[in-house]
Amino acid sequence: NAPPTLPGTGYAFEEEAREARDKELAAASRPLLAAASCGCDVLFNHCGGKAACLNLATAEECPVEAERVASLRTCDLADVGELCKGQGECGTDEHAANCRYGDEPQIERAVYRRVALPIGMCGLRPDKKLCRGHDRCLEPVSETECPATEAKADALRKCDDGALSVGDLCEADGECMTDFLLNNCLYGDLSQKNRDVYQFKSTPGPSEDERARSSCVHIAPHCSRDGSDKGGPVALDGMLEVDDCPKSADEARSLKKCSDPALQIGERCEADGECG
């Protein structure tokens, strides 16, 4: 007899199901263009069921031994705040070699930290082609937001249901790029009692790249006019909306440069490439 399959997957083992799911989503998932301006080394639109902001670990953050890197989870499985090993998933560079160990021959590893998404960014914005043409923002719910009973979870609409309204919960089986192995709502000891539940947050409107450019803050760790590393850290908001621009060219020319130490919080500045 064939082994029993994981509910909704057709696979007997979670590893097989994840591998198949990763291949299915590879073409639909992509790094977002605004990563650098959002304070992310990698900004990916689908990484373990939701978007991810990943930063390469600094030398101080690297595990003390190469063997400990092997025990890290890959970045698609990591939680926010957690170190993870980059093996090509979620746009990571497995050859980043930012954590080095020993003398010659040196052991090199790619290690990232998954951090909170930029403010205003959708947790999961599926490709419309994989969501019955719907453009929507979905967020995995927390344990406290899960339906109270298994029966209530089973009564939820699917995440690609056209009747779903903003604020509604939905039960996911892989539609709309959701993670059918998320298992964020638990109703017993058996995996068959786990459910993958998201909330329909909003209709996104602008694309993720447009949203990121307008809402992300760029952190320039060293900001000085001569390009040296003597300046202090500066947080620069995204490009201004048209309505916020100076009313004339003369007014624009009168603005301070973004590296000017006299620049005050909330003040506009004119950029020529300084501070990133």
Side-chain angles (χ1 to χ4, degrees), residues 28-240:
S29 299
R30 60 189 176 86
L32 299 178
L33 300 178
S37 66
C38 297
C40 309
D41 290 324
V42 178
L43 186 58
F44 209 70
N45 73 327
H46 190 287
C47 184
K50 52 188 173 182
C53 177
L54 302 168
N55 286 328
L56 285 165
T58 64
E60 292 75 19
E61 293 176 309
C62 288
V64 293
E65 299 172 343
E67 291 75 12
R68 295 192 182 184
V69 177
S71 66
L72 296 176
R73 296 195 284 183
T74 51
C75 294
D76 56 330
L77 302 179
D79 295 324
V80 171
E82 187 178 345
L83 289 177
C84 56
K85 55 187 176 186
Q87 297 183 335
E89 74 288 347
C90 307
T92 55
D93 179 5
E94 60 185 318
H95 303 297
N98 57 312
C99 292
R100 295 182 169 90
Y101 302 93
D103 300 319
E104 299 296 335
Q106 200 168 54
I107 299 173
E108 299 177 334
R109 295 290 184 266
V111 179
Y112 291 77
R113 186 180 295 280
R114 189 163 183 165
V115 300
L117 288 174
I119 294 172
M121 184 175 173
C122 180
L124 171 62
R125 186 179 184 181
D127 189 308
K128 290 194 291 185
K129 295 190 295 293
L130 300 179
C131 199
R132 293 190 184 180
H134 301 303
D135 191 11
R136 52 184 48 164
C137 178
L138 302 169
E139 297 270 4
V141 300
S142 65
E143 182 180 354
T144 58
E145 296 171 315
C146 288
T149 65
E150 182 181 354
K152 288 184 177 180
D154 289 339
L156 296 175
R157 295 186 177 97
K158 294 302 176 187
C159 294
D160 60 357
D161 193 316
L164 207 63
S165 299
V166 173
D168 286 351
L169 301 186
C170 58
E171 204 278 325
D173 281 325
E175 72 283 359
C176 301
M177 298 175 69
T178 53
D179 185 354
F180 59 51
L181 294 169
L182 186 64
N183 298 333
N184 56 327
C185 292
L186 310 178
Y187 299 101
D189 297 330
L190 301 176
S191 63
Q192 289 88 340
K193 292 185 177 291
N194 298 337
R195 296 294 182 270
D196 314 306
V197 179
Y198 288 74
Q199 185 177 30
F200 179 13
K201 285 290 191 179
S202 67
T203 302
S207 71
E208 289 292 15
D209 286 337
E210 293 166 341
R211 183 186 293 266
R213 285 194 184 98
S214 64
S215 65
C216 291
V217 172
H218 172 57
I219 304 298
H222 300 289
C223 185
S224 62
R225 187 61 182 165
D226 60 5
S228 70
D229 62 357
K230 296 178 181 178
V234 176
L236 301 174
D237 205 346
M239 291 183 291
L240 294 178

